[in-house]
Amino acid sequence: MPPLSVKQLIAVQPTRIMALARANVVMAVVLIAACLLRVLATAAYWPALFYSDSFAYMGLAYEATPVAFQPDRPSGYPLLIKFLTIVGHQLAVVTVAQHLAGLATGLLVYVCLVRLGSARWLAALAAAVVLLDANLIVLEQWILAEAF
């Protein structure tokens, strides 16, 4: 199956999604399981999990414009928090974005391995290591820079 262009990705139709799922059955099953686990983690720990650093990142995001600075913390994560919560201060938006980034990382592993010539089932197995790791799923639920 040839790779999708950006234009094709934007206009993906249900029949195309089903054709992709049939061509990549193992990866589709892994991706569905990964999505289900992330939905369960989000429901269990709504809206987010906090560590002592989480409060520091939230403070950095909202103390100054664009963000405050601390030499021992990365400024990119508070900037991301501020960007994602620009409409309203909803922490769930941050955690959902982190879960989507985790799913995108797993898909990237799969696509890269398939493009390098790996068998689809083997690429799906490698992606499953990233997509189904409970530690990574919980890390995506924390307000911490490590998630991104």
Side-chain angles (χ1 to χ4, degrees):
M1 200 175 249
L4 294 173
S5 69
V6 174
K7 191 173 186 179
Q8 290 171 324
L9 282 174
I10 293 171
V12 174
Q13 297 160 349
T15 55
R16 180 74 172 157
I17 292 172
M18 291 307 294
L20 279 171
R22 271 187 250 108
N24 304 286
V25 168
V26 177
M27 184 59 193
V29 169
V30 169
L31 191 59
I32 289 169
C35 289
L36 179 63
L37 288 172
R38 282 165 173 77
V39 166
L40 291 173
T42 301
Y45 301 110
W46 183 263
L49 292 171
F50 277 85
Y51 188 71
S52 59
D53 288 354
S54 303
F55 297 104
Y57 287 121
M58 296 301 294
L60 290 172
Y62 299 118
E63 280 178 8
T65 302
V67 293
F69 174 76
Q70 278 187 354
D72 62 336
R73 304 208 190 292
S75 295
Y77 190 64
L79 190 62
L80 180 72
I81 291 172
K82 192 160 199 170
F83 174 74
L84 289 173
T85 60
I86 202 159
V87 174
H89 298 290
Q90 299 292 326
L91 290 178
V93 174
V94 176
T95 57
V96 168
Q98 290 176 169
H99 285 301
L100 291 174
L103 292 170
T105 303
L107 284 172
L108 186 62
V109 167
Y110 178 75
V111 169
C112 287
L113 288 173
V114 168
R115 292 242 176 132
L116 288 172
S118 178
R120 290 181 191 269
W121 70 268
L122 189 59
L125 186 64
V129 171
V130 175
L131 289 170
L132 302 176
D133 184 1
N135 289 327
L136 293 177
I137 294 170
V138 170
L139 183 63
E140 294 165 6
Q141 192 65 29
W142 288 90
I143 301 294
L144 290 174
E146 287 83 354
F148 270 101

